[in-house]
């Protein structure tokens, strides 16, 4: 009887440890599956920002090329009797337009290259760091690109004032002002249509208590 009792105790102890091992394994598998699902959600945000950076980089490169041509070639076509102040102002504004677009191009290229690399090859938590970093840098890059486009409009207006006679100058300036007004109005309309308030923005992360994470720009309560 004593031997039977010992055998029963050993069998129960082995079964208990086996059950604990299985529960631990199930818990680890559940945590792994949850982490993979969360990473898949954050990956969609990462792809969104990467695509936006590529689009901004492409357009910034186009405008930077136009501004560079304006700096290098337009000065050869200035009338001899044109104002030195106007020519200097034109070159100054055109250089600013080129610099802003080059800065936006460089920032977009670097973010599109390094952000996904950090998320893919970094340690645990790198996906969160990459998405939040890209979200913040995207705002700065977008503002830089918009300033570059505005400087490009000002540069084109100065070129018209220097090169054209008064009739063509007035006609072209009116046309450019209309184009600028239409562009700004379209941007406002599109922004108001798709604007997402910061307090309503939802991020792809989850908090420890199970609540939905905030977006990067959302104010903290």
């Amino acid at each position: 009887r004593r031997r039977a009792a010992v055998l029963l105790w050993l069998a129960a102890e082995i079964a208990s440890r086996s059950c604990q091992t299985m529960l631990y394994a199930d818990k680890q598998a559940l945590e792994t599956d949850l982490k993979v699902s969360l990473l898949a959600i954050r990956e969609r945000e990462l792809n969104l920002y990467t695509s936006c950076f590529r689009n901004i980089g492409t357009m910034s490169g186009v405008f930077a090329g136009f501004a560079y041509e304006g700096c290098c070639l337009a000065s050869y076509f200035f009338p001899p009797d044109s104002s030195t102040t106007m020519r200097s102002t034109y070159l100054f504004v055109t250089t600013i337009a080129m610099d802003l677009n080059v800065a936006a191009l460089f920032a977009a290229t670097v973010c599109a290259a390094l952000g996904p690399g950090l998320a893919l090859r970094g340690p645990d938590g790198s996906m969160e760091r990459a998405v939040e970093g890209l979200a913040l840098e995207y705002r700065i890059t977008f503002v830089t690109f918009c300033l570059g486009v505005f400087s490009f409009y000002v540069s084109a207006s100065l070129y018209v004032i220097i090169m054209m006679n008064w009739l063509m100058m007035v006609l072209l300036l009116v046309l450019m002002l209309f184009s600028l007004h239409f562009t700004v109005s379209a941007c406002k309309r599109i922004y108001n249509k798709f604007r997402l308030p910061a307090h309503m923005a939802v991020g792809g992360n989850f908090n420890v208590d199970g609540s939905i994470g905030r977006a990067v720009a959302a104010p903290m309560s």
Side-chain angles (χ1 to χ4, degrees):
R1 292 180 180 179
R2 185 176 181 181
R3 183 177 181 183
V6 171
L7 291 176
L8 289 175
W9 179 81
L10 290 176
E13 187 69 17
I14 294 174
S16 176
R17 294 185 179 182
S18 176
C19 183
Q20 292 178 359
T21 303
M22 292 178 60
L23 290 176
Y24 180 77
D26 291 340
K27 180 180 179 182
Q28 291 296 109
L30 180 61
E31 291 179 355
T32 302
D33 293 340
L34 178 60
K35 184 177 294 186
V36 170
S37 300
L38 294 178
L39 287 177
I41 297 175
R42 296 298 272 178
E43 184 181 8
R44 297 173 64 180
E45 292 185 277
L46 180 72
N47 293 334
L48 171 65
Y49 287 117
T50 303
S51 177
C52 291
F53 274 118
R54 289 173 179 170
N55 293 333
I56 291 181
T58 300
M59 296 309 301
S60 297
V62 173
F63 282 108
F66 288 157
Y68 178 77
E69 291 293 331
C71 290
C72 295
L73 300 179
S75 59
Y76 293 101
F77 300 99
F78 285 154
D81 57 345
S82 59
S83 172
T84 304
T85 303
M86 292 298 298
R87 286 185 292 178
S88 301
T89 305
Y90 166 79
L91 292 176
F92 178 75
V93 174
T94 306
T95 302
I96 291 178
M98 181 185 67
D99 292 341
L100 288 173
N101 282 284
V102 169
L105 169 62
F106 182 77
T109 303
V110 171
C111 288
L114 298 184
L118 173 63
L120 180 63
R121 298 189 297 268
D124 190 20
S126 296
M127 176 66 77
E128 187 82 13
R129 177 184 170 192
V131 172
E132 292 185 358
L134 289 179
L136 294 175
E137 291 297 329
Y138 173 72
R139 293 169 176 81
I140 300 175
T141 304
F142 183 75
V143 171
T144 304
F145 171 72
C146 291
L147 291 176
V149 173
F150 178 75
S151 300
F152 187 80
Y153 268 102
V154 176
S155 172
S157 301
L158 292 173
Y159 180 81
V160 168
I161 294 175
I162 296 174
M163 295 295 297
M164 303 300 172
N165 56 61
W166 68 271
L167 180 60
M168 287 298 298
M169 179 187 70
V170 172
L171 291 177
L172 291 177
L173 286 178
V174 170
L175 180 62
M176 294 179 64
L177 287 176
F178 175 78
S179 175
L180 180 61
H181 174 73
F182 178 80
T183 302
V184 174
S185 300
C187 291
K188 288 183 178 179
R189 183 183 69 252
I190 295 172
Y191 177 78
N192 292 328
K193 182 180 297 183
F194 298 105
R195 177 178 176 268
L196 179 63
H199 66 278
M200 297 178 60
V202 177
N205 57 326
F206 286 83
N207 297 324
V208 179
D209 58 356
S211 60
I212 298 176
R214 294 178 179 270
V216 177
M220 300 300 294
S221 58

